[in-house]
């Protein structure tokens, strides 16, 4: 089957053509042509869609031996509701028929936001998504106030496993290689099992499409003035008959970031290298894809130590009793603007190889995927022995997923399957051991069904999960070679039992039921109720030691039980002629909610187990989170060059441990790490026509407003109040072309925090990196990044 897609008789490039109810599909080339090969004879419904246009559905009659030709002419308008999503569903599904709150960001939208990492790009594009940060390159995603192991990050549908319980490193994914991001806001345990309690972020890499036998690619280059970030990425793709190939290599390096309060923030530089490759074949029987990624990151570890009077940053040069935190030497000036990585840093390596396959069995589909990952994490925190890692762990993970989508029966689409992981963690030649060497096996089985009755789409399902975590006795003892501790056998002289053996099964049932009512082609009502499940992670049940990068001694609790939540969502979505409107309300009740709180003694003084480091102990109680997201995007039909996009996100997190709240005089009333009211408003002006060699000239101005956060977990000064602030961001983008009209490159200029506002996000961990109770300038902790001008060029070829 082949044909051409146009709009007002003008070729429409990169439009999607899909045969409804199958995995057959294609993308149009620059001239609007498409071809779908190896389609069995039969009657199909062809769905033609493209962002910014209304979807067209046409009947296709495909016969054996003859090339079926089908053209489509799409009308301009919003097609967001008709976008096809693959995250959290049993098979590719139109966004409009999915009752679960889900947001989509395409490549063009991701490119418009020049950022240090891919999570920051998602934050700017999806209301309700935030991140806990530790400097510009470390962002841990939160969805509606929940994060860490409650948010499942996927890479091409494969769950990302990289010691994500830690605060001090980011997501090991190449931001330049992502063509699409899909975000589920709410429990997604039905499809993915444990760790999807709050939602899912699926980062989907580019799959080659285009003309056969033609090498395609792009080169992207970034520069940021604040931290001197230099990012370069080269991507290549090739398509020949049934085979597709893609390869990308990326490098980023940056020196310390700065703001007008702290100046250059010592030890916030990083250096990152990534390579990825993919090969895929599409046949009559289905498709098979093999892909691999290599990630290597050196990230400095800030600790916030300063001189008490000048507030200049100092550096650690001694250890133990010889380290006087209040009398450390100043950080050398040449270190503050240097791209070199200081001896105190972390080194993170992540390797991944995976295969995704689909087989057509009659009218049914069998999908199977398997993947292997290895995360190697070393933290160098010994200034007197810089080559000695304080933390050195290797995490190996095997991912597997098998599911069968049966032929529709009586209009009901069903899918059932099983997925999970097998995981091992091993400590290497380290001096600190915050978690034990553990083995984990996880498996879950699920059933999912969907049916359309008139204007109503109904979907739901049920799942059962079982996770086993076990480890043997783990002993540590003195290491004469370096004077620190090491892992030893039980009969070693001076040994002590760090982690007594443990073996436990965690089980949970999750479910989801929702419906979408199509009031009209443009207006939808959605409702969903879902129960999520999450087994405690390894630090919550097993930790008993210092995490050097976080500067925290974690204490776990072996008696913890799984978290369960019940979330109700209702929403109204309207894509009208001149405006888009969206309102989503949610209520989330969490049983056995696990959180960390700073540990104090009976006199109210911080418990210090390791000098210079805080001690946090995990707690468990009931909790409730509720809130809303609103979006109002104005795009007048008669003023196509103008758009005004506005969003609001609000969440309240309540700790329902009444006894603790009473004992603390209300200090424990709220949950930690809850973002404040967030309002974003962006004005965009896209100039029509061409201006010499310039086209698609777009000006953007944005106000990013965060209210004060006075509803925080203040017990033992775990958190403090955070003043509100407003950041003004501006940007301009354009395409530069040859005289003949062929694009040469896309150019993006952006100014973030244009007026250089001094601010601290309540989700900025560096806010709490402070050694004194007061300072001469009245400012405590480290502030967020100051004004940053960025320049980005993307050259397609």
């Amino acid at each position: 089957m082949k044909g051409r897609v146009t709009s007002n008789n003008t070729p429409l490039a990169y439009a999607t053509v899909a045969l409804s109810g199958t995995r057959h599909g294609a993308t149009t080339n620059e001239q609007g042509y498409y071809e779908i090969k190896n389609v069995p004879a039969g009657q199909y419904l062809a769905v033609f869609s493209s962002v910014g246009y209304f979807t067209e559905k046409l009947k296709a009659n495909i016969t054996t031996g003859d090339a079926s030709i089908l053209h489509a002419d799409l009308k301009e308008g919003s097609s967001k509701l008709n976008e096809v999503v693959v995250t959290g569903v049993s098979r590719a599904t139109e966004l409009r028929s999915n009752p679960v709150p889900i947001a989509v960001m395409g490549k063009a939208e991701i490119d418009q936001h020049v950022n240090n990492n891919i999570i920051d790009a998602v934050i700017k594009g999806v209301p309700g998504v935030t991140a806990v940060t530790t400097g510009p390159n470390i962002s841990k995603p939160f969805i509606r106030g929940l994060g860490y192991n409650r948010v499942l990050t996927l890479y091409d549908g494969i769950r990302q496993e990289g010691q994500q319980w830690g605060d001090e490193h980011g997501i090991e994914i190449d931001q330049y290689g992502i063509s699409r991001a899909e975000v589920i806001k709410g429990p997604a345990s039905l499809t993915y099992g444990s760790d999807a309690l709050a939602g899912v972020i699926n980062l989907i890499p580019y799959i080659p499409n285009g003309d056969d036998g033609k090498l395609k690619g792009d080169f992207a280059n970034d520069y940021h003035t604040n931290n001197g970030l230099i990012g370069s990425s080269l991507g290549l793709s090739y398509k020949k008959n049934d085979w597709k190939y893609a390869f990308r290599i990326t490098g980023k390096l940056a020196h310390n970031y700065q703001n007008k309060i702290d100046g250059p923030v010592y030890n916030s530089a990083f250096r990152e290298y990534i390579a990825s490759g993919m090969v895929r074949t599409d046949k009559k029987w289905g498709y098979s894809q093999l892909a691999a990624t290599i990630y290597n990151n050196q990230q400095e570890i800030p600790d916030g130590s300063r001189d008490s009077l000048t507030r200049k940053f100092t550096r650690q040069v001694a250890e133990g009793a010889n380290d006087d935190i209040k009398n450390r030497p100043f950080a050398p000036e040449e270190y503050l603007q240097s791209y070199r990585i200081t001896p105190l840093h972390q080194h993170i390596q992540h390797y991944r190889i995976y295969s995704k396959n689909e087989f057509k069995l009659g009218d049914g589909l069998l999908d199977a995927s398997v993947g292997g990952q290895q995360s190697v994490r070393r933290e160098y925190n010994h200034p007197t022995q810089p080559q000695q890692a304080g933390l050195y762990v290797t995490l190996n993970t095997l991912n597997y997923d098998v599911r069968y989508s049966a032929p529709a029966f009586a209009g009901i689409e069903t899918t059932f399957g099983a997925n999970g992981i097998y995981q091992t963690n091993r400590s290497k030649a380290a001096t600190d051991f915050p978690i034990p060497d553990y083995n984990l096996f996880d498996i879950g089985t699920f059933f999912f069904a969907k049916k359309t009755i008139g204007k109503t789409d109904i979907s739901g399902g049920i799942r059962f999960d079982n996770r086993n975590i076990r480890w043997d006795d783990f002993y540590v003892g003195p290491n004469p070679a370096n004077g620190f501790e090491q892992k030893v056998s039980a009969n070693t002289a001076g040994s002590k039992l760090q982690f007594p053996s443990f073996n436990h099964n965690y089980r949970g049932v999750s479910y989801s039921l929702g419906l979408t009512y199509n009031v009209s082609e443009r207006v939808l009502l959605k409702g969903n109720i879902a129960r999520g499940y999450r087994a405690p992670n390894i630090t919550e049940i097993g930790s008993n030691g210092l995490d050097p990068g976080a500067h925290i001694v974690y204490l776990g609790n072996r008696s913890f039980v799984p978290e369960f939540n019940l979330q109700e969502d209702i929403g109204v979505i309207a894509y009208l002629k001149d405006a888009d409107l969206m309102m989503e309300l949610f209520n989330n009740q969490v049983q056995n909610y696990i959180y960390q709180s700073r540990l104090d003694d009976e006199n109210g003084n911080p418990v210090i187990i390791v000098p210079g480091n805080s001690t946090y102990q995990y707690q468990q109680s009931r909790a409730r989170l509720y809130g809303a997201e609103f979006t109002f995007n104005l795009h007048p039909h008669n003023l196509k060059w103008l758009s005004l996009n506005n969003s609001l996100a609000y969440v309240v997190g309540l700790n329902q441990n009444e006894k603790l709240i009473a004992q603390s005089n209300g200090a424990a009333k709220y949950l930690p790490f809850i973002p404040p009211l967030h309002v974003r408003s962006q004005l965009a002006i896209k100039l029509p026509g061409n201006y010499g060699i310039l086209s698609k000239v777009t000006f953007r101005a944005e106000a990013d407003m965060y209210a004060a956060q006075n509803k925080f977990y203040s017990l033992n000064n775990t958190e403090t109040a955070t003043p509100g602030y407003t950041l003004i961001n501006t940007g301009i983008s354009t395409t530069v072309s040859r005289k003949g009209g062929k694009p040469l490159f896309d150019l993006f200029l952006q100014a973030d925090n244009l007026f250089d506002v001094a601010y601290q996000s309540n989700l900025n961990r560096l806010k709490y990196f402070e050694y004194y109770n007061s300072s001469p300038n009245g400012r405590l902790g480290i502030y967020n990044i100051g004004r940053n001008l960025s320049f980005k060029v993307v050259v397609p070829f």
Side-chain angles (χ1 to χ4, degrees):
M1 174 179 163
K2 60 184 180 180
R4 196 181 198 192
V5 181
T6 57
S7 177
N8 293 324
N9 297 317
T10 300
L12 195 57
Y14 310 115
T16 299
V17 186
L19 298 183
S20 181
T22 77
R23 290 297 178 92
H24 291 290
T27 302
T28 59
N29 62 19
E30 293 179 356
Q31 289 75 42
Y33 290 103
Y34 74 92
E35 184 175 6
I36 305 176
K37 296 182 178 181
N38 303 321
V39 181
Q43 299 245 342
Y44 297 90
L45 184 65
V47 181
F48 299 82
S49 62
S50 182
V51 176
Y53 299 85
F54 286 112
T55 294
E56 184 79 18
K57 298 181 180 180
L58 300 174
K59 290 183 179 180
N61 186 17
I62 298 177
T63 57
T64 304
D66 293 327
S68 300
I69 298 176
L70 193 61
H71 304 304
D73 190 70
L74 305 188
K75 296 179 181 179
E76 286 193 55
S78 175
S79 65
K80 286 276 188 180
L81 292 175
N82 300 308
E83 283 196 82
V84 174
V85 296
V86 298
T87 307
V89 293
S90 58
R91 62 187 86 189
T93 303
E94 281 190 354
L95 185 61
R96 68 177 306 116
S97 65
N98 188 357
V100 177
I102 186 167
V104 178
M105 286 185 69
K107 177 66 172 175
E109 193 174 358
I110 292 173
D111 279 341
Q112 285 178 0
H113 301 296
V114 185
N115 299 285
N116 285 277
N117 60 75
I118 184 63
I119 297 301
D120 286 349
V122 173
I123 289 169
K124 289 187 176 181
V126 182
V129 179
T130 52
V132 165
T133 63
T134 313
N137 197 43
I138 303 177
S139 299
K140 290 287 189 178
F142 272 52
I143 297 177
R144 292 175 169 176
L146 297 175
Y148 299 115
N149 282 79
R150 300 180 184 93
V151 173
L152 184 59
T153 303
L154 308 177
Y155 178 81
D156 201 11
I158 305 293
R159 61 186 293 152
Q160 179 85 3
E161 292 292 327
Q163 304 280 12
Q164 56 264 37
W165 47 266
D167 288 303
E168 62 285 350
H169 63 93
I171 303 298
E172 304 91 345
I173 290 176
D174 185 356
Q175 70 186 77
Y176 298 99
I178 300 303
S179 66
R180 182 178 175 89
E182 297 182 356
V183 181
I184 296 176
K185 295 187 284 187
S189 298
L190 173 62
T191 310
Y192 300 104
S194 182
D195 301 345
L197 193 83
V200 171
I201 298 177
N202 188 9
L203 303 171
I204 303 171
Y206 171 72
I207 295 178
N209 282 298
D211 299 333
D212 270 8
K214 183 179 179 181
L215 181 68
K216 296 184 65 177
D218 68 84
F219 175 75
N221 196 70
D222 264 349
Y223 177 71
H224 296 197
T225 60
N226 187 285
N227 60 350
L229 183 146
I230 302 171
S232 297
S233 182
L234 174 65
L236 300 173
S237 65
Y238 184 76
K239 180 176 178 287
K240 184 66 174 178
N241 298 325
D242 300 328
W243 291 87
K244 301 174 181 178
Y245 308 87
F247 174 78
R248 180 170 293 275
I249 186 168
T250 295
K252 293 195 303 182
L253 67 159
H255 57 64
N256 296 308
Y257 82 91
Q258 58 189 325
N259 59 64
K260 65 182 182 182
I261 301 299
D262 303 304
V265 176
Y266 178 62
N267 255 26
S268 60
F270 60 89
R271 183 176 297 167
E272 188 175 279
Y273 303 102
I274 311 170
S276 61
M278 182 273 287
V279 58
R280 172 178 169 132
T281 182
D282 292 87
K283 300 289 186 179
K284 292 182 179 180
W285 48 261
Y287 75 85
S288 183
Q289 176 180 321
L290 179 67
T293 64
I294 300 173
Y295 175 94
N296 188 65
N297 177 30
Q298 290 178 289
Q299 180 81 48
E300 292 183 341
I301 306 173
D303 67 0
S305 68
R306 309 174 186 252
D307 176 70
S308 62
L309 296 178
T310 65
R311 297 291 289 173
K312 290 184 177 181
F313 287 103
T314 59
R315 66 186 181 111
Q316 184 183 1
V317 294
E319 299 190 61
N322 296 322
D323 180 26
D324 185 352
I325 295 176
K326 296 183 179 181
N327 289 287
R328 290 177 176 177
F330 291 125
E333 288 295 325
E334 62 269 22
Y335 277 27
L336 297 178
Q337 298 291 341
S338 173
Y339 284 98
R340 67 179 177 178
I341 302 298
T342 62
L344 303 189
H345 68 276
Q346 55 183 319
H347 187 190
I348 300 166
Q349 296 163 294
H350 190 276
Y351 310 95
R352 175 192 3 248
I353 183 169
Y354 67 95
S355 175
K356 297 174 65 177
N357 307 274
E358 181 174 277
F359 307 95
K360 298 166 185 169
L361 304 178
D363 292 329
L365 295 173
L366 177 66
D367 290 274
S369 64
V370 62
Q373 297 177 65
Q374 183 180 74
S375 172
V376 182
R377 180 173 160 204
R378 284 165 285 191
E379 295 182 356
Y380 297 95
N381 64 313
H382 296 299
T384 58
Q385 300 181 44
Q387 302 304 316
Q388 173 62 58
L391 179 72
Y392 188 173
V393 291
T394 299
L395 182 73
N396 293 305
T397 304
L398 174 69
N399 305 78
Y400 63 92
D401 187 314
V402 180
R403 61 187 64 195
Y404 177 68
S405 299
F409 176 76
I412 303 175
E413 298 177 1
T414 59
T415 299
F416 58 89
N419 53 25
I421 60 174
Y422 174 68
Q423 192 172 82
T424 64
N425 180 81
R426 298 294 181 264
S427 292
K428 303 296 184 179
T431 65
D432 299 293
F433 306 92
I435 59 174
D437 291 353
Y438 69 87
N439 290 4
L440 180 154
F441 179 72
D442 178 283
I443 185 170
T445 57
F446 64 91
F447 174 81
F448 184 91
K450 175 187 173 185
K451 182 176 176 61
T452 298
I453 304 174
K455 292 186 175 182
T456 304
D457 298 301
I458 304 173
S459 62
I462 191 167
R463 179 187 179 101
F464 175 74
D465 277 285
N466 183 82
R467 172 172 290 189
N468 176 264
I469 301 179
R470 64 178 179 85
W471 62 80
D472 298 326
D473 288 342
F474 187 111
Y475 289 86
V476 298
N479 185 347
N482 58 27
F484 297 106
E485 289 187 325
Q486 63 179 333
K487 180 183 176 182
V488 298
S489 60
N491 55 6
T492 302
S495 66
K496 65 178 181 179
L497 184 60
Q498 180 89 350
F499 305 103
S501 63
F502 182 81
N503 191 335
H504 192 76
N505 285 309
Y506 298 94
R507 298 182 176 91
V509 175
S510 50
Y511 57 78
S512 178
L513 179 63
L515 61 86
T516 299
Y517 179 69
N518 295 266
V519 178
S520 69
E521 179 68 21
R522 295 172 176 266
V523 180
L524 304 179
L525 301 177
K526 294 191 176 191
N528 192 74
I529 183 169
R531 186 186 199 232
Y533 150 83
R534 184 181 77 91
N537 68 32
I538 188 62
T539 59
E540 293 164 348
I541 56 173
S543 59
N544 182 28
L546 173 67
D547 182 347
H551 295 285
I552 293 175
V553 175
Y554 291 106
L555 302 178
N557 190 322
R558 298 157 67 96
S559 65
F560 279 167
V561 295
E563 290 182 340
F564 292 95
N565 73 325
L566 187 66
Q567 180 165 311
E568 303 91 16
D569 290 274
I570 58 172
V572 179
I573 303 176
Y575 284 92
L576 307 176
K577 183 178 180 180
D578 294 317
D580 304 335
L581 302 170
M582 183 185 72
M583 177 183 70
E584 293 176 342
L585 307 176
F586 68 92
N587 180 61
N588 189 4
Q589 294 281 352
V590 186
Q591 292 180 321
N592 313 317
Y593 176 83
I594 300 172
Y595 59 101
Q596 53 182 257
S597 178
R598 203 183 75 181
L599 189 63
D600 283 11
D601 60 24
E602 61 275 7
N603 298 319
N605 298 314
V607 171
I608 303 297
I609 296 177
V610 179
N613 299 272
S614 303
T615 302
Y616 280 71
Q617 188 168 44
Y618 286 98
Q619 315 286 334
Q620 191 164 47
S621 69
R622 290 186 302 113
R624 181 191 177 202
L625 299 99
Y626 64 90
E629 287 116 31
F630 299 94
T631 299
F632 173 64
N633 298 332
L634 183 65
H635 44 78
H637 183 71
N638 295 326
L639 301 173
K640 294 182 179 180
W641 50 270
L642 175 68
S643 63
L644 179 62
N645 300 327
N646 307 276
S647 66
L648 178 150
Y650 180 67
V651 59
V652 176
L654 299 174
N655 186 348
Q656 295 186 324
N657 186 336
E658 301 299 338
K659 181 179 179 180
L660 181 63
I661 294 172
Q663 289 176 345
S664 64
N665 293 319
K669 179 180 179 180
Y670 299 103
L671 299 179
F673 287 134
I674 300 298
L677 172 69
H678 180 203
V679 178
R680 176 179 281 118
S681 183
Q682 182 191 84
L683 175 68
I685 298 174
K686 184 177 181 179
L687 301 182
N690 299 333
Y691 301 85
I693 61 173
L694 303 181
S695 62
K696 300 179 182 178
V697 180
T698 303
F699 296 91
R700 292 182 293 110
E702 176 184 81
D704 208 6
M705 297 163 279
Y706 289 84
Q709 182 54 291
N710 298 312
K711 299 177 179 179
F712 55 94
Y713 187 81
S714 61
L715 181 61
N716 300 333
N717 289 317
T718 300
E719 291 184 299
T720 58
T722 304
Y725 55 91
T726 297
L727 306 178
I728 302 299
N729 311 314
T730 62
I732 180 173
S733 61
T734 185
T735 297
V736 180
S737 305
R738 294 190 179 100
K739 289 184 178 180
K742 186 176 181 179
L744 284 173
F745 58 86
D746 295 323
L747 177 64
F748 303 87
L749 308 178
Q750 185 171 303
D752 290 303
N753 193 2
L754 181 64
F755 297 109
D756 203 20
V757 174
Y759 73 100
Q760 288 177 313
S761 165
N762 79 308
L763 298 180
N764 174 18
R765 289 183 60 249
L766 297 180
K767 175 187 175 186
Y768 301 100
F769 282 29
E770 179 60 61
Y771 289 85
Y772 303 99
N773 294 321
S774 62
S775 72
N777 62 11
R779 312 270 192 164
L780 296 174
I782 299 174
Y783 280 67
N784 286 70
I785 191 168
R787 181 190 297 114
N788 182 46
L789 307 180
S790 52
F791 308 85
K792 181 178 180 179
V793 176
V794 179
V795 183
F797 57 86

